[in-house]
Amino acid sequence: MSGVLVVCAGTNWDGVAGSDRMLATCLSAYTDVLWVDPPTSMVRAGGLPRPKLGTIGPRMHRLTPLVLPMHTRTGVRHTTPALVRAQIRWALRSFGVRPHTVLDCRLGGMLGGWGDGVRGVLYGTDDFVAGAELMGRSRAQVEAEERVAIDRSDLVLAVSPILRDRWSAMGAEVLLLPNGVRTETYDGLDGVTPAADVRLPGPVAGVCGHLSERIDIGLLEAVVDEGLSLLLVGPYDSRWEPERFQALTARDRVQWTGPRPYERMPSYMRHLDVGLTPYTDTAFNRASFPLKTLEYLAAGLPVVSTDLPATRWLSTGLVTLATEPADFAKAARAAAEQARTAEVVATRRAFADEHSWRARAATVATALGLTG
């Protein structure tokens, strides 16, 4: 390795495969990548004396840094960036390389201070400030961290036009980089065996991804009231509507599988007749770009979504917009009952391929001067 892209990720490699993992994986076609997990407490890691370092794929390496217990607490938080930086430097020395770019996905204080010629890139997959409360953080604190990250960035990747405009106004050089999709994941979907743990009568509507307060549970209840089965695949945030969620998942035509590996998603998509993106109308969601919408299209499914700026940016009639519960439920039923012809499936997949992670990575590689 002559140089590496250091990706300070917002999610653990073993968790749900999000934007950071998808982009990093595709960028490995252009450069070696060191994936840095969010820091783990030494206590939670079993008191291991050293961070974990290993290889996870062609040109892909992984570091799991260890930090002090209670590292998210105000009194301890300031020690975390220095500890993570030290462990990244240790990993780079182990490989005998230096970084050409450091990409920070989580306002982790990782930008700047890496030496001459090392580019700093902030990857904004969500509105950090609007999401402060979701993360249990002070809005003022996050605003200050965002300002520092912007000032230390050579380039900012913004997932939505709203974020692009805001960060451009703060003086950043911003590249609009909406989320993408790995269309190859769904190649040959019709030959995939449906997941054996799903037992729902058709037609089936589905939500794949994090189940949290970003989702309007009233829309899901309305979909079931309309007579559709509902399949929920993904981790559940226990703080979100605990009583209503328990009541929803107790209904006969509803099944929640819990989290499942990304590699198994095709087997769950095989059960769906329509994919749902039932997001609430919040500042955080308006600045986001849901991964699931393109995932459904890549699987050849019709999609019903609430009216989000990101969906309007896609500018396609392949996604039906609806906001009120009754309208959303009726749209879901109509979409589920559409004939699934080879032609319409091909049209959805072709549209998704225009927004593939390969295409997104090529855009970033060009901006960073990477040639493969």
Side-chain angles (χ1 to χ4, degrees), residues 195 197-198 207 211 231-235 249 255-260 268:
D197 58 338
V198 177
V207 177
L211 304 170
L231 177 62
L232 306 173
V233 182
T249 54
Q255 183 176 348
W256 171 48
T257 68
R260 292 292 185 267
Y268 290 96

Side-chain angles (χ1 to χ4, degrees), residues 30-252:
Y30 299 89
T31 181
D32 287 281
V33 175
L34 175 63
W35 172 277
V36 182
D37 285 326
T40 298
S41 163
M42 295 176 183
V43 173
R44 180 172 294 184
L48 296 175
R50 297 178 63 181
K52 292 181 180 179
L53 180 63
T55 298
I56 49 179
R59 305 185 79 177
M60 288 288 299
H61 313 277
R62 177 187 180 186
L63 170 68
T64 303
L66 302 181
V67 293
L68 297 177
M70 299 183 291
H71 62 279
T72 59
R73 301 283 182 89
T74 301
V76 183
R77 179 184 293 275
H78 72 280
T79 68
T80 300
L83 288 171
V84 174
R85 281 172 175 266
Q87 290 168 76
I88 292 174
R89 289 192 172 96
W90 166 77
L92 294 171
R93 287 195 302 271
S94 299
F95 290 126
V97 296
R98 67 188 301 270
H100 56 70
T101 304
V102 174
L103 189 151
D104 191 351
C105 305
R106 57 183 187 84
L107 295 183
M110 293 294 105
L111 300 181
W114 293 98
D116 294 341
V118 181
R119 292 162 296 206
V121 178
L122 177 64
Y123 185 19
T125 59
D126 288 304
D127 187 331
F128 299 116
V129 175
E133 186 177 345
L134 291 172
M135 297 183 289
R137 302 285 311 282
S138 155
R139 183 183 178 94
Q141 230 177 10
V142 175
E143 285 178 336
E145 291 173 2
E146 181 186 69
R147 177 73 267 178
V148 170
I150 292 290
D151 290 344
R152 293 179 177 175
S153 297
D154 298 298
L155 178 67
V156 176
L157 308 178
V159 76
S160 68
I162 288 176
L163 291 178
R164 175 198 58 195
D165 295 345
R166 180 174 133 209
W167 289 331
S168 293
M170 293 173 68
E173 179 183 341
V174 184
L175 175 66
L176 178 62
L177 191 79
N179 282 332
V181 61
R182 288 179 61 184
T183 49
E184 62 271 22
T185 299
Y186 301 100
D187 288 346
L189 183 64
D190 288 343
V192 172
T193 302
D197 58 338
V198 177
R199 296 175 180 83
L200 288 172
V204 180
V207 177
C208 299
H210 287 278
L211 304 170
S212 69
E213 62 185 70
R214 298 184 67 180
I215 290 176
D216 186 338
I217 197 168
L219 300 180
L220 301 184
E221 293 166 339
V223 166
V224 182
D225 290 340
E226 185 67 23
L228 277 71
S229 291
L230 179 65
L231 177 62
L232 306 173
V233 182
Y236 166 66
D237 184 341
S238 60
R239 298 170 296 179
W240 174 58
E241 300 284 3
E243 293 181 1
R244 289 177 72 180
F245 185 77
Q246 183 177 9
L248 176 67
T249 54
R251 297 177 68 168
D252 290 340

